[in-house]
Amino acid sequence: MTEQRVALVTGSSAGIGAAVARRLSRAGYRVAVNSARSPEAGLELARSLPDAFYVQADIAEEHAARHLVEQVVDHYGRLDVLVNNAGTTRFIPHADLAAATPKVWREIFDVNVIGTWQVTVAAVPHLRASGDGAVVTVSSIAGSRPAGSSIPYAVSKAALEHLTRLLASTLGPEIRVNAVAPGLIDTAWTEPLTGPREQVAALAPLRRIGTVDDVAAAVLGLIDSRYTTGSVLLADGGAHLR
Ligand SMILES: NC(=O)c1ccc[n+]([C@@H]2O[C@H](COP(=O)([O-])OP(=O)(O)OC[C@H]3O[C@@H](n4cnc5c(N)ncnc54)[C@H](OP(=O)(O)O)[C@@H]3O)[C@@H](O)[C@H]2O)c1
């Protein structure tokens, strides 16, 4: 019997990450759930999935990011899939340039870009050993369009999309590296955005905002797409066409 594959989903105590963890579990993966500040929710999700495991770690911290991957590999003995989902933002109107201070830029980049980098670097030897390693990073439509909660957030997602191409080019053939760029998704982050929610539902070709499960389906699709690497898949109901 072949051993069950193992996936680590960063930032999976809530929202998109939790939906990805559930879907991976349904697809037969053993899943490592992670968050920085919500251990109760993370533990509860891990308890609800067969053979899942929770690790509390802030991916922005160098030692914690490395230790996260070590704990997963110590627990399961392997790592086949990494989903870089953990992310943070600040809501700052793009025209308010002064509000996007260096402190804001550093806080967002520390998690979204450097945190993702640190976890990925720690995971690479194990993904390579898997023989069919895959990385999927959760970007945003803000990474390629003049949109999003703030300019530093949008630029951090643009950085992740180019990182996806650079890593795909570097890590093949053993590891495939792709990204999903969601549009407006129904999560706690976007709950207060009544105006943009109505706008997307009225204008996007698919006439609704997205669900966390829509994004999870795109992530799973990329993990299973064995001739695809270096791609960014938009999951935005076609909103980019408007
Ligand atoms: N919602 C949208 O409309 C939307 C659209 C495009 C892209 N995205 C992207 O999708 C991803 C998930 O967003 P979401 O809306 O699902 O957010 P969410 O519901 O707030 O969930 C974010 C998750 O990441 C964890 N997290 C945050 N900072 C972390 C850190 N430093 N280390 C480890 N875990 C951390 C959070 O847990 P703790 O805070 O408790 O640690 C939580 O589990 C993000 O990368 C976001 O940029 C979201």
Side-chain angles (χ1 to χ4, degrees):
M1 204 181 81
T2 50
E3 209 188 14
Q4 250 184 309
R5 280 160 61 81
V6 172
L8 164 60
V9 186
T10 65
S12 46
S13 65
I16 292 169
V20 172
R22 282 191 210 96
R23 260 206 184 230
L24 282 165
S25 178
R26 278 208 303 277
Y29 283 82
R30 293 176 287 171
V31 181
V33 175
N34 154 259
S35 68
R37 288 163 298 270
S38 50
E40 302 79 12
L43 279 165
E44 198 181 316
L45 176 62
R47 274 196 291 264
S48 75
L49 305 174
D51 208 0
F53 171 61
Y54 172 75
V55 184
Q56 183 173 14
D58 183 341
I59 64 158
E61 287 174 20
E62 193 175 341
H63 174 74
R66 211 175 25 244
H67 195 50
L68 165 62
V69 173
E70 280 166 10
Q71 285 184 81
V72 174
V73 174
D74 283 351
H75 186 79
Y76 292 118
R78 61 188 290 167
L79 179 63
D80 304 281
V81 168
L82 169 64
V83 180
N84 286 313
N85 169 75
T88 192
T89 194
R90 300 285 177 282
F91 286 86
I92 302 172
H94 291 197
D96 190 356
L97 302 186
T101 59
K103 184 167 179 283
V104 169
W105 279 90
R106 287 193 188 98
E107 281 172 8
I108 292 175
F109 267 63
D110 270 353
V111 177
N112 295 7
V113 181
I114 299 170
T116 297
W117 171 257
Q118 290 177 157
V119 177
T120 306
V121 169
V124 158
H126 309 289
L127 297 172
R128 202 169 260 145
S130 151
D132 184 18
V135 177
V136 179
T137 296
V138 180
S139 178
S140 165
I141 192 172
S144 59
R145 304 274 138 183
S149 44
S150 63
I151 287 181
Y153 172 77
V155 175
S156 78
K157 293 300 188 179
L160 286 181
E161 294 190 6
H162 200 45
L163 180 62
T164 297
R165 289 182 282 271
L166 292 165
L167 287 178
S169 168
T170 305
L171 298 177
E174 296 93 348
I175 307 173
R176 291 173 292 113
V177 186
N178 294 291
V180 170
L184 193 81
I185 307 301
D186 186 14
T187 66
W189 274 26
T190 64
E191 218 161 32
L193 307 178
T194 327
R197 280 172 167 250
E198 282 168 6
Q199 240 178 344
V200 169
L203 293 178
L206 299 187
R207 292 288 187 276
R208 62 176 179 87
I209 65 166
T211 66
V212 292
D213 220 42
D214 290 327
V215 183
V219 171
L220 270 283
L222 282 174
I223 291 169
D224 287 341
S225 298
R226 293 206 156 62
Y227 199 53
T228 300
T229 195
S231 284
V232 179
L233 175 62
L234 280 166
D236 70 340
H240 67 283
L241 299 169
R242 298 297 190 239

